[in-house]
């Protein structure tokens, strides 16, 4: 789990610096395991706001606590735990935030008055422990008032969490506390696990560090590798002590950097309280001003990807089934086409029989004749139908030839259509994998329905009433507008209707991707803009994770759409090819909306 004890310590410090003295204004529970405390600050923030939202989650896959700017839809009727929290914590003042060592547990201590008017302290414990995560309200005597997840004796005989039960901390682990040890003490503990990789040994020995931090330490020690401790030299241990000193300083003195790791598709992969270098060029990092911003952005993006994956599941199934159907049909047609390759033999047999009618009798089962088409004049034995005359046998072979010839022509047409359909389905799949909004999904859904792959639901929308999805927009360093289609229908719109004059068209060569247009406004487009547009086209294609991607480009007048072609399918002439490597930092920098 990336949200380790050290990162939680940074969050505690960050929350403590701005929330102490704030009062609870509202409490919302918008899901079974997630809550929001709206806190009224004693002093306005830099932007003049007097309230902030503190997010708490006990979800097994994303337990955490941080400030958030996201909006959440609340249920019509608040859950019982939410109502209980409102009863006990309404207008309560936050007076302390505690962390026990580097455990992934924060105690939010609130000051409030009980029913008798006496000033008391209540504690909200947020425990970040994977599937055992919880949010617990504790009274002034240390007993549980209630929790977002009740844990009875059947679920845990060691530590039940039920109303009236005394709250206890989870059993302590036999690990070294990162902020209370020296690098030498950690080294001494590690030397006992000689056959264990360094990253795993660190994870087992040190409290407060996640796997990504342990891998980063090993990456530094072994210069990009992770070896077992028995293979470590004194130089390795020197490097280990040096880097551990830095990590301990990050933990003790809050000197780390909120950092997230994203892949080439901008998918959030991991995060930490320190710079991450272990992935080389295969991943990218992004830093934030605060840990709340880091976690808010990381999980918002991740949750959005998960929601998009869920909402696009039916489309992915349709595309997968269609691609499978096309592949099976093409395989059968290719086999039938191979069978047609014997058609010339049937014609030769007919010609040979016709040339030797005088020597063949009705009732013959074979005829051995000289093949005058063969340069060696070799003999060939031709099967005959004894019920037919020689002329009828010849006509039978001519019929087989004509049927095979007609079938071959038709099969070639069908195979070409099938291959084009497979290319189209692949292009839709590519657009679907890059879709990031519900509007993009809706546009792809409408396209598939229009092409007959999905059943249309409900009445067709009135013309002029549909929300128009705008293409992606970029501005090159030379000031030229670059437009990128989000789906095949929009690709057609950009290329065939919107583009004009000396506009330049880009597309990855024989690879599914978006149509990309440089709007020239009648000017000559410089090479630097052509190069940036090619990079953007590659980044918005199926080859986004590749290097040296071929991108064809030509003037828009050289691009045409064949009659009856699927959306997004075009042909072009007089083109040049650039080989570029997608640069997502450049793409992000040039994007203007």
């Amino acid at each position: 789990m990336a949200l380790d004890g050290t990162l939680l310590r940074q969050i505690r410090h960050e929350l403590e610096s701005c929330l102490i003295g704030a009062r609870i204004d509202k409490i919302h529970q918008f899901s079974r395991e997630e809550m929001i405390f709206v806190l009224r600050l004693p002093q306005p923030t830099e932007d003049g706001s007097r309230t902030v939202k503190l997010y708490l989650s006990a979800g097994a896959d994303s337990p955490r606590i941080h400030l958030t700017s996201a909006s959440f839809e609340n249920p019509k009727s608040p859950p019982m735990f939410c109502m209980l929290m409102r009863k006990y914590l309404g207008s309560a003042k936050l007076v302390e935030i505690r962390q026990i060592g580097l455990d992934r547990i924060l105690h939010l201590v609130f000051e409030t008055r009980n029913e008798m008017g006496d000033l008391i302290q209540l504690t909200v414990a947020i425990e970040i422990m994977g599937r055992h995560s919880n949010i617990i309200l504790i009274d002034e005597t240390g007993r549980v008032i209630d929790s977002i997840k009740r844990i009875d004796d059947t679920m845990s005989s060691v530590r039940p969490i039920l109303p009236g039960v005394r709250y206890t901390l989870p059993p302590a682990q036999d690990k070294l506390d990162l902020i209370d040890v020296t690098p030498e003490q950690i080294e001494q503990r590690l030397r006992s696990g000689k056959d264990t990789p360094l990253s795993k040994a660190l994870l087992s020995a040190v409290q407060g560090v996640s796997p990504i931090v342990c891998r980063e330490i090993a990456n530094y020690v072994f210069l990009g590798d992770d070896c077992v401790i028995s293979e470590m030299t004194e130089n390795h241990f020197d490097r280990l002590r040096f880097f551990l000193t830095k990590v301990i300083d990050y933990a003790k003195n809050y000197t780390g950097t909120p950092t997230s790791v994203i892949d080439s598709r901008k998918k959030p992969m991991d995060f930490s309280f320190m710079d991450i270098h272990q992935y080389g060029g295969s991943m990218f990092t992004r830093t934030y001003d605060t840990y709340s911003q880091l976690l808010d952005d990381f999980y918002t993006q991740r949750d959005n990807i998960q929601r998009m994956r869920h909402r696009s599941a039916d489309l992915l199934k349709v595309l997968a089934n269609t691609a499978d159907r096309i592949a099976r049909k093409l395989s059968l047609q290719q086999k039938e086409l191979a069978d047609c390759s014997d058609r010339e033999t049937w014609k030769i047999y007919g010609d040979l029989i016709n040339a030797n009618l005088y020597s063949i009798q009705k009732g013959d089962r074979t005829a051995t004749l000289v093949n005058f088409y063969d340069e060696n004049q070799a003999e060939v034995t031709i099967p005959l139908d004894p019920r037919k005359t020689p002329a009828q046998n010849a006509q039978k072979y001519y019929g087989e030839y004509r049927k095979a010839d007609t079938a071959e022509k038709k099969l070639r047409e069908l195979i070409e259509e099938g291959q084009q359909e497979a290319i189209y389905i692949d292009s839709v799949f590519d657009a679907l994998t890059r879709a990031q909004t519900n509007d993009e999904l809706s546009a792809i859904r409408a396209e598939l329905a229009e092409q007959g792959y999905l059943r249309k639901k409900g009445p067709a929308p009135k013309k002029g009433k549909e929300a128009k999805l705008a293409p992606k927009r970029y501005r090159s360093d030379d000031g030229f507008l670059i437009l990128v289609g989000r789906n095949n229908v929009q690709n057609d719109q950009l290329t065939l209707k919107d583009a004009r004059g000396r506009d330049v068209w880009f597309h990855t060569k024989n690879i599914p991707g978006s149509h990309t247009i440089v709007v020239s406004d009648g000017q000559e487009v410089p090479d630097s803009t052509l190069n940036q547009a090619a990079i953007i086209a590659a980044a918005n294609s199926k080859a986004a994770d590749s290097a040296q991607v071929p991108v064809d480009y030509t003037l828009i007048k050289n691009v045409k759409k064949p009659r009856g072609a699927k959306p997004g399918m075009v042909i072009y002439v007089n083109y040049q090819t650039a080989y570029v490597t997608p640069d997502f930092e450049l793409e992000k920098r040039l994007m203007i909306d």
Side-chain angles (χ1 to χ4, degrees):
M1 183 182 297
L3 209 172
D4 53 34
T6 300
L7 196 146
L8 189 62
R9 175 179 165 84
Q10 316 299 310
I11 294 172
R12 181 199 62 77
H13 177 70
E14 185 175 281
L15 296 179
E16 198 174 49
S17 65
C18 64
L19 295 185
I20 296 301
R23 290 187 179 273
I24 288 184
D25 190 36
K26 297 176 183 176
I27 297 177
H28 302 293
Q29 183 180 345
F30 52 91
S31 78
R32 191 167 59 89
E33 298 172 334
E34 298 170 288
M35 303 193 73
I36 288 286
F37 289 175
V38 180
L39 295 163
R40 190 169 63 254
L41 301 173
Q43 298 293 332
T45 59
E46 291 182 1
D47 61 3
S49 176
R50 291 301 299 262
T51 61
V52 293
K53 290 184 289 188
L54 182 64
Y55 173 90
L56 300 89
S57 172
D61 61 339
S62 56
R64 61 196 191 274
I65 176 172
H66 56 83
L67 297 177
T68 182
S69 58
S71 299
F72 302 92
E73 185 176 350
N74 297 312
K76 293 181 180 179
S77 300
M80 290 298 296
F81 184 66
C82 179
M83 294 174 66
L84 180 138
M85 295 285 271
R86 289 175 180 177
K87 172 185 173 183
Y88 281 93
L89 295 178
S91 297
K93 182 170 72 173
L94 182 62
V95 295
E96 186 183 0
I97 304 177
R98 292 198 302 261
Q99 181 183 16
I100 314 303
L102 286 181
D103 271 347
R104 291 178 307 210
I105 301 173
L106 285 190
H107 287 179
L108 310 180
V109 182
F110 290 93
E111 194 176 77
T112 186
R113 294 188 181 274
N114 61 16
E115 295 174 348
M116 304 297 294
D118 298 326
L119 199 63
I120 60 171
Q121 287 188 343
L122 300 180
T123 301
V124 175
I126 168 77
E127 301 184 346
I128 300 171
M129 300 183 296
R131 62 190 181 91
H132 300 295
S133 300
N134 214 336
I135 301 171
I136 307 165
L137 180 61
I138 306 164
D139 68 15
E140 67 274 23
T141 68
R143 294 188 178 276
V144 174
I145 298 175
D146 210 342
S147 59
I148 206 164
K149 297 179 186 176
R150 291 186 176 181
I151 311 297
D152 59 26
D153 292 335
T154 62
M155 301 166 70
S156 173
S157 59
V158 177
R159 189 172 175 257
I161 306 293
L162 293 169
V165 172
R166 179 164 293 280
Y167 175 80
T168 58
L169 291 170
Q173 296 178 302
D174 182 26
K175 290 186 176 184
L176 300 173
D177 191 322
L178 188 64
I179 60 176
D180 287 332
V181 294
T182 63
E184 289 74 20
Q185 288 174 309
I186 295 175
E187 176 189 347
Q188 186 177 0
R189 174 73 69 91
L190 292 176
R191 284 182 181 271
S192 61
K194 292 187 176 182
D195 297 326
T196 307
L198 177 59
S199 62
K200 290 187 177 180
L202 283 165
L203 192 63
S204 299
V206 183
Q207 182 185 41
V209 290
S210 59
I212 188 174
V213 173
C214 295
R215 292 195 304 269
E216 188 66 17
I217 296 172
N219 178 75
Y220 177 83
V221 170
F222 296 111
L223 302 177
D225 205 351
D226 186 7
C227 302
V228 296
I229 294 172
S230 59
E231 297 177 1
M232 291 179 65
T233 64
E234 286 307 312
N235 180 56
H236 288 140
F237 280 109
D238 288 342
R239 294 176 63 83
L240 174 64
R241 288 189 297 272
F242 173 80
F243 203 73
L244 282 174
T245 301
K246 292 179 62 175
V247 176
I248 291 171
D249 179 68
Y250 293 150
K252 278 186 176 181
N253 301 314
Y254 312 106
T255 55
T257 303
T259 302
S260 71
V261 179
I262 56 177
D263 67 9
S264 59
R265 292 276 187 171
K266 301 180 184 178
K267 179 182 177 183
M269 303 301 294
D270 219 327
F271 56 84
S272 182
F273 58 86
M274 54 192 272
D275 292 335
I276 300 298
H277 303 283
Q278 62 193 264
Y279 298 107
S282 63
M283 298 277 187
F284 305 90
T285 59
R286 177 183 177 186
T287 59
Y288 294 81
D289 293 333
T290 69
Y291 288 95
S292 285
Q293 290 174 0
L294 162 66
L295 296 182
D296 203 24
D297 188 50
F298 181 91
Y299 284 105
T300 296
Q301 290 186 53
R302 198 196 69 167
D303 292 347
N304 183 57
I305 290 171
Q306 290 177 342
R307 281 194 298 270
M308 293 293 289
R309 186 181 293 122
H310 175 73
R311 291 170 181 169
S312 64
D314 62 325
L315 299 181
L316 288 169
K317 184 177 180 180
V318 167
L319 293 175
N321 290 341
T322 302
D324 187 53
R325 172 182 59 77
I326 294 170
R328 289 199 309 270
K329 187 162 65 172
L330 281 173
S331 178
L332 289 173
Q333 290 169 344
Q334 294 282 8
K335 185 176 181 302
E336 291 177 19
L337 182 63
D339 293 340
C340 293
S341 62
D342 292 335
R343 70 187 188 287
E344 291 299 328
T345 301
W346 310 141
K347 184 177 182 299
I348 290 172
Y349 282 2
D351 290 347
L352 294 180
I353 292 172
N354 270 340
N356 293 275
L357 290 176
Y358 65 91
S359 65
I360 305 172
Q361 303 296 322
K362 183 178 180 179
D364 288 349
R365 294 183 178 277
T366 60
T368 301
L369 306 172
V370 174
N371 182 4
F372 47 76
Y373 288 105
D374 184 75
E375 61 181 14
N376 297 320
Q377 300 292 295
E379 289 187 337
V380 60
T381 298
I382 303 173
L384 299 174
D385 186 341
R387 295 168 299 178
K388 297 181 184 293
T389 65
Q392 287 173 331
N393 270 293
Q395 290 304 313
K396 183 193 77 168
Y397 279 117
Y398 285 139
E400 291 291 335
Y401 167 76
R402 287 191 296 271
K403 187 168 73 171
D405 189 57
T406 302
E408 181 181 13
K409 292 176 182 177
K410 186 63 177 176
L411 281 169
R412 290 192 184 279
E413 291 177 6
L414 292 174
I415 289 171
E416 174 65 21
E417 290 174 4
Q419 289 172 338
Q420 290 301 312
E421 186 181 14
I423 292 172
Y424 170 71
I425 292 299
D426 201 15
S427 72
V428 178
F429 178 79
D430 173 61
L432 185 60
T433 59
R434 289 185 281 111
Q436 295 180 332
T437 66
N438 287 330
D439 287 343
E440 290 177 284
L441 279 186
S442 297
I444 294 172
R445 196 180 299 278
E447 177 186 336
L448 289 174
E450 189 66 32
Q451 295 300 312
Y453 295 101
L454 284 179
R455 185 176 299 174
K456 295 183 181 180
K457 296 181 180 180
K462 295 181 181 179
K463 288 188 177 180
K465 297 293 184 182
E466 307 133 352
K468 190 173 181 180
L469 182 64
K472 292 183 179 180
R473 292 160 52 86
Y474 303 83
R475 183 78 63 185
S476 77
D477 288 333
D478 299 309
F480 286 84
L481 180 64
I482 302 173
L483 303 175
V484 176
R486 296 177 187 268
N487 54 62
N488 285 312
V489 172
Q490 196 173 85
N491 286 337
D492 276 357
Q493 177 71 30
L494 281 176
T495 300
L496 306 173
K497 297 182 180 180
D498 295 344
R500 292 286 185 274
R502 297 188 61 79
D503 293 352
V504 187
W505 179 88
F506 294 76
H507 195 280
T508 43
K509 189 180 189 71
N510 300 325
I511 300 170
S514 295
H515 291 205
T516 301
I517 305 291
V518 175
V519 181
S520 68
D521 289 328
Q523 303 177 54
E524 188 73 23
V525 180
D527 289 344
S528 53
T529 289
L530 295 177
N531 182 64
Q532 289 182 341
I535 291 172
I536 289 171
N540 285 277
S541 77
K542 192 175 182 179
D545 296 329
S546 304
Q548 292 300 298
V549 178
V551 178
D552 291 341
Y553 63 98
T554 184
L555 292 177
I556 199 68
K557 66 180 182 180
N558 297 323
V559 185
K560 307 294 180 186
K561 187 176 186 67
R563 179 173 295 180
K566 295 281 190 184
M569 303 292 106
V570 295
I571 55 176
Y572 50 95
V573 295
N574 300 330
Y575 62 89
Q576 294 177 271
T577 303
Y579 290 85
V580 297
T581 298
D583 185 339
F584 293 97
E585 291 299 315
L586 174 70
E587 187 215 12
K588 180 182 175 182
R589 180 173 66 80
L590 298 183
M591 184 174 286
I592 56 178
D593 54 19

